[in-house]
Amino acid sequence: MPESWIDFIPTLLEGAKITVTVAILATLLAVVTAFASGLMSLSRLRLIRRISSIYVEVFRGTSLLVQLFWLYFALPFAGIELPKLLAAVLAVGLNFGAYGSEVVRSAILAVPKGQWEAAIALNMTPWQRMSYIILPQAALRMLPPFGNLLVELIKSTSLVYFITMADLTYQAMVLRNNYISWTSEILLLLLLMYLVMTSLVSFGLRVWERKWSEGRM
């Protein structure tokens, strides 16, 4: 039997490493898919806009947990067996990428029309207009909502517990099952560790946003 709640921390930290790994990889995937889908939704080609719309509606309109189950438990019946980490990253990343797509789209559309017209008057190519004029201005507008999505993403990684991935939540549940009398302490540690992770991310993003808005980045 453990002598104090401190004895649980090493096990929980092992799980936290998995949680952080999933969160980082899923964030990278979410950012890439958010920008790709957001830009596709503004395309002049109807087919490209339709592809983006289908992706967004499917992943926003269905449960993240169901998506995770489908990738990990259903795909093997089609002959595609994904490792737990890959299934977790794909489910979380694609789900939050769909939400991020709308952030990208709305931020780009919020750039004043005069900026677009000025870029056209300078005879810039569409790529140059987007890279040097539109996206730098839209990016600052994206930061706060992207920060909120990132916090939600970190918390949502707890769902990988359901595919028996040894993340922070999984380790806490194992400890709880083994030491029922310490349930309150274990769950309090779980809560605090998620709070620390999300608070660090929120603080970092606020600092980044402030420096960016002041032109120091």
Side-chain angles (χ1 to χ4, degrees), residues 79-137:
I80 303 173
E81 191 166 346
L82 301 178
K84 292 179 183 179
L85 178 60
L86 180 57
V89 169
L90 285 176
V92 177
L94 291 175
N95 182 274
F96 280 89
Y99 287 95
S101 171
E102 292 300 290
V103 172
V104 172
R105 184 184 66 84
S106 60
I108 290 175
L109 291 177
V111 175
K113 187 178 180 181
Q115 297 294 313
W116 294 82
E117 294 172 346
I120 293 172
L122 291 171
N123 201 30
M124 288 184 167
T125 65
W127 174 257
Q128 289 174 326
R129 292 199 298 268
M130 189 61 67
S131 300
Y132 300 118
I133 304 297
I134 307 305
L135 277 182
Q137 296 181 63

Side-chain angles (χ1 to χ4, degrees), residues 114-186:
Q115 297 294 313
W116 294 82
E117 294 172 346
I120 293 172
L122 291 171
N123 201 30
M124 288 184 167
T125 65
W127 174 257
Q128 289 174 326
R129 292 199 298 268
M130 189 61 67
S131 300
Y132 300 118
I133 304 297
I134 307 305
L135 277 182
Q137 296 181 63
L140 185 57
R141 293 182 171 88
M142 297 176 197
L143 204 52
F146 264 133
N148 292 334
L149 286 178
L150 180 53
V151 169
E152 290 298 319
L153 184 152
I154 292 171
K155 294 187 292 185
S156 295
T157 59
S158 61
L159 294 178
V160 305
Y161 158 75
F162 290 101
I163 61 170
T164 66
M165 195 169 182
D167 73 319
L168 179 56
T169 300
Y170 180 90
Q171 298 289 14
M173 292 302 102
V174 170
L175 289 173
R176 175 187 172 275
N177 291 336
N178 291 335
Y179 306 104
I180 297 295
S181 61
W182 290 84
T183 295
S184 297
E185 291 82 356
I186 293 169

Side-chain angles (χ1 to χ4, degrees), residues 151 154 193-206:
V151 169
I154 292 171
M193 291 181 78
Y194 275 111
L195 180 60
V196 168
M197 286 189 287
T198 56
S199 296
L200 287 173
V201 168
S202 297
F203 176 76
L205 287 170
R206 283 196 297 270

Side-chain angles (χ1 to χ4, degrees), residues 1-74:
M1 287 290 291
E3 295 181 0
S4 74
W5 57 270
I6 296 177
D7 295 333
F8 298 122
I9 292 180
T11 301
L12 293 175
L13 287 176
E14 286 299 314
K17 292 178 183 178
I18 302 297
T19 293
V20 171
T21 299
V22 173
I24 291 174
L25 295 176
T27 297
L28 293 175
L29 177 60
V31 170
V32 170
T33 54
F35 273 89
S37 180
L39 292 173
M40 287 170 64
S41 69
L42 299 172
S43 173
R44 295 179 180 179
L45 300 177
R46 183 176 181 181
L47 176 60
I48 293 178
R49 294 198 306 273
R50 178 61 62 184
I51 292 172
S52 173
S53 177
I54 291 172
Y55 159 66
V56 170
E57 292 305 319
V58 168
F59 280 91
R60 286 200 314 172
T62 56
S63 164
L64 172 56
L65 184 58
V66 173
Q67 294 163 17
L68 183 61
F69 282 171
W70 194 85
L71 286 170
Y72 188 69
F73 294 118

